[in-house]
Amino acid sequence: MKRIGKLYFRYGTMGSAKTAILLTTAYNFEERGMAYLCFKPVTDTREARNVIRSRIGIERECKWIYQDTDLYELVCHLNEDGGMLPGWMLVDEAQFLTSLQVDQLARVVDDFGCNVICFGLRTDFQTHLFEGSRRLFEIADSIEEVKSTCSCGRKTIVNARIDSDGKIITEGEQVEIGGNDRYVAVCRKCWREKRIDD
């Protein structure tokens, strides 16, 4: 009987533990002897090598996804080479996928019965949807928010970009890679008022 997979999108703001959840999921699969693969778009240049690393210090090796990577063809090659198709594919920083790559992942789910869990941001620092996130919202089988709390007590919604003085800025390129030195997750009200509570 052909297995039936699902395309999942788990989104949240920066610092909401998305990557830690991905890595914990990978650990659980290993403990149970379940086949899986980890992927990350090469756009995220914070790591010098192909690893997914959480802010809490745990990490896993992964395969890079380049702008021109055909994810469906990649899985087809695994199948043709006699390799075992993974039951699960875990994708970090899924907001950096192209719409076409999200469609390719959906086809992997539909044709091979793999389960694909994409973790990523919903919007950029100006509150606009990323391309990959938009497509996942449009076609994912399951969508779940990974929630976190603003310092004022409200739910975080915005990945606010900050300057070297810690002040919120609203102009610039959509993609600027950075961590706590460049971004802070805040609620909509704090973002609108350009306020960061300590």
Side-chain angles (χ1 to χ4, degrees), residues 69-102:
T69 299
D70 185 321
L71 293 164
Y72 185 79
E73 285 299 314
L74 188 149
V75 173
C76 284
H77 287 311
L78 284 174
N79 197 28
E80 290 166 3
D81 293 342
M84 185 174 179
L85 278 179
W88 295 86
M89 293 170 62
L90 306 174
V91 182
D92 198 28
E93 305 292 352
Q95 72 272 7
F96 295 136
L97 298 173
T98 65
S99 293
L100 182 59
Q101 287 170 330
V102 173

Side-chain angles (χ1 to χ4, degrees), residues 158-175:
V158 183
N159 303 296
R161 186 178 291 170
I162 55 175
D163 63 17
S164 57
D165 295 323
K167 293 189 169 91
I168 293 176
I169 55 176
T170 56
E171 299 295 323
E173 295 294 317
Q174 182 181 48
V175 177

Side-chain angles (χ1 to χ4, degrees), residues 43-59:
T43 309
D44 182 0
T45 56
R46 287 175 289 178
E47 302 299 335
R49 55 194 179 93
N50 55 329
V51 296
I52 296 171
R53 178 178 289 124
S54 170
R55 293 170 193 226
I56 61 173
I58 54 176
E59 68 179 47

